[in-house]
């Protein structure tokens, strides 16, 4: 299985180009209130223009209003949505786009996990981003979670996030064998400013691990 790579929280055109050059599969652009990586619509237009046709642009929302989400998605037919808040399954499915749902491993108990996943699969969730957020922890914090809590059988692709870095991602790919890995703070020099050397090392570690 080929583990795919998503770099999230991009804010600069030069970082989009550098990410594409190292061979990522998807790039994430954040519209969540309170995030230091939050974009405006004009910024998004410039960033999407730099995304090659073979790389998927993903826009991340966290409890945004429906009208705002629709306005952002209208900027390009290429955009995939990722929901990172308390959005319910019907709300996520209502925009007519492929979409991902973040799983708040910092908030969900193991007992609640199965029901949570099933409710989103039933309405067409394309994949789950398992992250450490929940409670006082938000996404992009650089914190990880216990991978042994991941479900053994999952009804949609598993994308692993939370605390991944060039130093840890190889072990993550070998142990978890996720369909994808998602990183933001682990490849930055400052929030929203990507470190191109870290980006290259992260991608190289994934490429190496997925051949083991």
């Amino acid at each position: 299985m080929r583990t795919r790579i998503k770099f999230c929280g991009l804010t600069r055109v030069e970082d989009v180009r550098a990410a594409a050059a190292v061979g990522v599969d998807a790039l994430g652009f954040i519209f969540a209130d309170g995030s230091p990586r939050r974009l405006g619509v004009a910024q998004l237009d410039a960033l999407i223009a730099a995304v090659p046709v073979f790389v998927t642009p993903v826009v991340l929302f966290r409890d945004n209003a429906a009208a705002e989400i629709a306005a952002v998605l209208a900027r390009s037919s290429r955009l995939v949505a990722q929901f990172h808040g308390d959005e319910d399954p019907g709300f996520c499915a209502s925009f007519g786009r492929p979409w991902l749902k973040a799983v708040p491993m910092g908030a969900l108990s193991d007992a609640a996990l199965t029901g949570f996943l099933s409710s989103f699969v039933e309405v067409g969730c394309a994949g789950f981003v398992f992250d450490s957020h929940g409670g006082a922890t938000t996404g992009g914090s650089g914190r990880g979670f216990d991978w042994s809590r991941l479900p053994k059988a999952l009804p949609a692709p598993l994308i692993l996030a939370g605390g991944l870095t060039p130093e840890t991602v190889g072990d993550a790919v070998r142990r978890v064998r996720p369909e994808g890995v998602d990183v933001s703070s682990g490849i930055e020099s400052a929030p929203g400013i990507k470190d191109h050397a870290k980006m290259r090392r992260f991608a190289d570690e994934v490429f190496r691990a997925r051949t083991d």
Side-chain angles (χ1 to χ4, degrees), residues 83-104:
F83 296 99
H84 227 271
D86 294 324
E87 303 91 355
D88 64 48
F91 182 88
C92 296
S94 68
F95 298 95
R97 294 294 182 93
W99 54 279
L100 308 169
K101 178 60 180 170
V103 183

mmCIF file of all heavy atoms in Angstrom, residues 83-104:
data_model
loop_
_atom_site.group_PDB
_atom_site.id
_atom_site.type_symbol
_atom_site.label_atom_id
_atom_site.label_comp_id
_atom_site.label_asym_id
_atom_site.label_seq_id
_atom_site.Cartn_x
_atom_site.Cartn_y
_atom_site.Cartn_z
ATOM 1 N N PHE A 83 -13.315 18.569 7.750
ATOM 2 C CA PHE A 83 -14.043 19.135 8.888
ATOM 3 C C PHE A 83 -13.371 18.725 10.191
ATOM 4 O O PHE A 83 -13.222 17.540 10.468
ATOM 5 C CB PHE A 83 -15.499 18.678 8.854
ATOM 6 C CG PHE A 83 -16.240 19.192 7.649
ATOM 7 C CD1 PHE A 83 -16.432 18.384 6.533
ATOM 8 C CD2 PHE A 83 -16.705 20.499 7.617
ATOM 9 C CE1 PHE A 83 -17.101 18.866 5.406
ATOM 10 C CE2 PHE A 83 -17.369 20.993 6.495
ATOM 11 C CZ PHE A 83 -17.569 20.175 5.387
ATOM 12 N N HIS A 84 -13.007 19.724 10.984
ATOM 13 C CA HIS A 84 -12.170 19.484 12.157
ATOM 14 C C HIS A 84 -12.841 19.887 13.456
ATOM 15 O O HIS A 84 -12.186 19.963 14.504
ATOM 16 C CB HIS A 84 -10.851 20.260 12.004
ATOM 17 C CG HIS A 84 -9.629 19.462 12.307
ATOM 18 N ND1 HIS A 84 -9.085 19.370 13.567
ATOM 19 C CD2 HIS A 84 -8.846 18.708 11.519
ATOM 20 C CE1 HIS A 84 -8.018 18.612 13.536
ATOM 21 N NE2 HIS A 84 -7.842 18.190 12.300
ATOM 22 N N GLY A 85 -14.152 20.161 13.411
ATOM 23 C CA GLY A 85 -14.845 20.607 14.617
ATOM 24 C C GLY A 85 -15.917 19.638 15.059
ATOM 25 O O GLY A 85 -15.773 18.419 14.933
ATOM 26 N N ASP A 86 -17.021 20.201 15.534
ATOM 27 C CA ASP A 86 -18.135 19.391 16.026
ATOM 28 C C ASP A 86 -19.242 19.235 14.985
ATOM 29 O O ASP A 86 -20.398 18.963 15.327
ATOM 30 C CB ASP A 86 -18.714 20.027 17.294
ATOM 31 C CG ASP A 86 -17.734 20.004 18.450
ATOM 32 O OD1 ASP A 86 -16.986 19.004 18.560
ATOM 33 O OD2 ASP A 86 -17.697 20.967 19.225
ATOM 34 N N GLU A 87 -18.890 19.376 13.714
ATOM 35 C CA GLU A 87 -19.884 19.264 12.643
ATOM 36 C C GLU A 87 -20.522 17.868 12.654
ATOM 37 O O GLU A 87 -19.831 16.863 12.843
ATOM 38 C CB GLU A 87 -19.221 19.489 11.277
ATOM 39 C CG GLU A 87 -18.492 20.815 11.136
ATOM 40 C CD GLU A 87 -17.037 20.744 11.522
ATOM 41 O OE1 GLU A 87 -16.578 19.676 12.009
ATOM 42 O OE2 GLU A 87 -16.336 21.766 11.354
ATOM 43 N N ASP A 88 -21.837 17.820 12.427
ATOM 44 C CA ASP A 88 -22.492 16.518 12.396
ATOM 45 C C ASP A 88 -22.404 15.929 10.983
ATOM 46 O O ASP A 88 -22.057 16.627 10.023
ATOM 47 C CB ASP A 88 -23.934 16.605 12.882
ATOM 48 C CG ASP A 88 -24.820 17.465 11.985
ATOM 49 O OD1 ASP A 88 -24.800 17.292 10.752
ATOM 50 O OD2 ASP A 88 -25.538 18.318 12.532
ATOM 51 N N PRO A 89 -22.675 14.634 10.832
ATOM 52 C CA PRO A 89 -22.504 13.977 9.533
ATOM 53 C C PRO A 89 -23.297 14.624 8.412
ATOM 54 O O PRO A 89 -22.771 14.826 7.299
ATOM 55 C CB PRO A 89 -22.969 12.544 9.802
ATOM 56 C CG PRO A 89 -22.696 12.327 11.251
ATOM 57 C CD PRO A 89 -22.991 13.643 11.894
ATOM 58 N N GLY A 90 -24.559 14.952 8.653
ATOM 59 C CA GLY A 90 -25.374 15.552 7.604
ATOM 60 C C GLY A 90 -24.828 16.885 7.133
ATOM 61 O O GLY A 90 -24.871 17.202 5.938
ATOM 62 N N PHE A 91 -24.324 17.687 8.057
ATOM 63 C CA PHE A 91 -23.744 18.977 7.709
ATOM 64 C C PHE A 91 -22.532 18.780 6.792
ATOM 65 O O PHE A 91 -22.403 19.443 5.755
ATOM 66 C CB PHE A 91 -23.333 19.711 8.987
ATOM 67 C CG PHE A 91 -22.754 21.079 8.755
ATOM 68 C CD1 PHE A 91 -23.586 22.187 8.678
ATOM 69 C CD2 PHE A 91 -21.391 21.263 8.639
ATOM 70 C CE1 PHE A 91 -23.060 23.459 8.473
ATOM 71 C CE2 PHE A 91 -20.842 22.522 8.432
ATOM 72 C CZ PHE A 91 -21.686 23.626 8.349
ATOM 73 N N CYS A 92 -21.653 17.862 7.134
ATOM 74 C CA CYS A 92 -20.451 17.616 6.330
ATOM 75 C C CYS A 92 -20.803 17.172 4.910
ATOM 76 O O CYS A 92 -20.118 17.529 3.949
ATOM 77 C CB CYS A 92 -19.585 16.551 6.994
ATOM 78 S SG CYS A 92 -18.912 17.015 8.597
ATOM 79 N N ALA A 93 -21.865 16.383 4.799
ATOM 80 C CA ALA A 93 -22.246 15.828 3.499
ATOM 81 C C ALA A 93 -23.035 16.805 2.636
ATOM 82 O O ALA A 93 -23.274 16.524 1.456
ATOM 83 C CB ALA A 93 -23.066 14.557 3.710
ATOM 84 N N SER A 94 -23.418 17.931 3.202
ATOM 85 C CA SER A 94 -24.373 18.811 2.525
ATOM 86 C C SER A 94 -23.783 19.698 1.436
ATOM 87 O O SER A 94 -24.532 20.359 0.715
ATOM 88 C CB SER A 94 -25.076 19.701 3.561
ATOM 89 O OG SER A 94 -24.173 20.634 4.126
ATOM 90 N N PHE A 95 -22.454 19.712 1.286
ATOM 91 C CA PHE A 95 -21.829 20.658 0.369
ATOM 92 C C PHE A 95 -21.528 20.080 -1.010
ATOM 93 O O PHE A 95 -21.033 20.780 -1.894
ATOM 94 C CB PHE A 95 -20.555 21.231 1.005
ATOM 95 C CG PHE A 95 -20.843 21.999 2.257
ATOM 96 C CD1 PHE A 95 -20.754 21.382 3.499
ATOM 97 C CD2 PHE A 95 -21.255 23.322 2.199
ATOM 98 C CE1 PHE A 95 -21.047 22.077 4.664
ATOM 99 C CE2 PHE A 95 -21.552 24.031 3.355
ATOM 100 C CZ PHE A 95 -21.452 23.399 4.589
ATOM 101 N N GLY A 96 -21.793 18.802 -1.186
ATOM 102 C CA GLY A 96 -21.633 18.202 -2.505
ATOM 103 C C GLY A 96 -20.197 18.058 -2.967
ATOM 104 O O GLY A 96 -19.937 18.048 -4.177
ATOM 105 N N ARG A 97 -19.267 17.956 -2.051
ATOM 106 C CA ARG A 97 -17.853 17.768 -2.366
ATOM 107 C C ARG A 97 -17.323 16.536 -1.653
ATOM 108 O O ARG A 97 -17.848 16.155 -0.586
ATOM 109 C CB ARG A 97 -17.025 18.974 -1.898
ATOM 110 C CG ARG A 97 -17.304 20.276 -2.602
ATOM 111 C CD ARG A 97 -16.902 20.230 -4.074
ATOM 112 N NE ARG A 97 -17.158 21.519 -4.700
ATOM 113 C CZ ARG A 97 -16.276 22.492 -4.815
ATOM 114 N NH1 ARG A 97 -15.046 22.317 -4.375
ATOM 115 N NH2 ARG A 97 -16.600 23.631 -5.392
ATOM 116 N N PRO A 98 -16.264 15.926 -2.167
ATOM 117 C CA PRO A 98 -15.575 14.914 -1.367
ATOM 118 C C PRO A 98 -15.103 15.560 -0.061
ATOM 119 O O PRO A 98 -14.695 16.726 -0.052
ATOM 120 C CB PRO A 98 -14.386 14.505 -2.243
ATOM 121 C CG PRO A 98 -14.774 14.909 -3.631
ATOM 122 C CD PRO A 98 -15.625 16.137 -3.487
ATOM 123 N N TRP A 99 -15.159 14.793 1.041
ATOM 124 C CA TRP A 99 -14.800 15.395 2.317
ATOM 125 C C TRP A 99 -14.192 14.379 3.269
ATOM 126 O O TRP A 99 -14.419 13.180 3.178
ATOM 127 C CB TRP A 99 -16.010 16.071 2.969
ATOM 128 C CG TRP A 99 -17.226 15.205 3.133
ATOM 129 C CD1 TRP A 99 -18.163 14.911 2.176
ATOM 130 C CD2 TRP A 99 -17.645 14.508 4.312
ATOM 131 N NE1 TRP A 99 -19.127 14.088 2.692
ATOM 132 C CE2 TRP A 99 -18.851 13.831 3.992
ATOM 133 C CE3 TRP A 99 -17.141 14.417 5.610
ATOM 134 C CZ2 TRP A 99 -19.534 13.048 4.929
ATOM 135 C CZ3 TRP A 99 -17.821 13.643 6.547
ATOM 136 C CH2 TRP A 99 -19.004 12.970 6.197
ATOM 137 N N LEU A 100 -13.387 14.911 4.174
ATOM 138 C CA LEU A 100 -12.731 14.148 5.222
ATOM 139 C C LEU A 100 -13.234 14.636 6.574
ATOM 140 O O LEU A 100 -13.620 15.796 6.724
ATOM 141 C CB LEU A 100 -11.215 14.332 5.164
ATOM 142 C CG LEU A 100 -10.526 14.085 3.824
ATOM 143 C CD1 LEU A 100 -9.079 14.567 3.874
ATOM 144 C CD2 LEU A 100 -10.583 12.601 3.466
ATOM 145 N N LYS A 101 -13.196 13.760 7.558
ATOM 146 C CA LYS A 101 -13.575 14.141 8.919
ATOM 147 C C LYS A 101 -12.428 13.850 9.871
ATOM 148 O O LYS A 101 -11.879 12.742 9.885
ATOM 149 C CB LYS A 101 -14.833 13.381 9.359
ATOM 150 C CG LYS A 101 -15.270 13.670 10.787
ATOM 151 C CD LYS A 101 -15.605 15.126 11.026
ATOM 152 C CE LYS A 101 -16.027 15.350 12.483
ATOM 153 N NZ LYS A 101 -16.128 16.792 12.802
ATOM 154 N N ALA A 102 -12.054 14.854 10.662
ATOM 155 C CA ALA A 102 -11.039 14.648 11.693
ATOM 156 C C ALA A 102 -11.653 13.938 12.891
ATOM 157 O O ALA A 102 -12.781 14.221 13.295
ATOM 158 C CB ALA A 102 -10.452 15.982 12.121
ATOM 159 N N VAL A 103 -10.898 13.016 13.458
ATOM 160 C CA VAL A 103 -11.338 12.237 14.613
ATOM 161 C C VAL A 103 -10.588 12.755 15.842
ATOM 162 O O VAL A 103 -9.363 12.628 15.921
ATOM 163 C CB VAL A 103 -11.062 10.729 14.420
ATOM 164 C CG1 VAL A 103 -11.579 9.930 15.601
ATOM 165 C CG2 VAL A 103 -11.675 10.237 13.111
ATOM 166 N N PRO A 104 -11.300 13.335 16.818
ATOM 167 C CA PRO A 104 -10.642 13.953 17.976
ATOM 168 C C PRO A 104 -10.245 12.929 19.034
ATOM 169 O O PRO A 104 -10.967 12.697 20.008
ATOM 170 C CB PRO A 104 -11.709 14.917 18.504
ATOM 171 C CG PRO A 104 -13.009 14.246 18.162
ATOM 172 C CD PRO A 104 -12.763 13.523 16.856
#
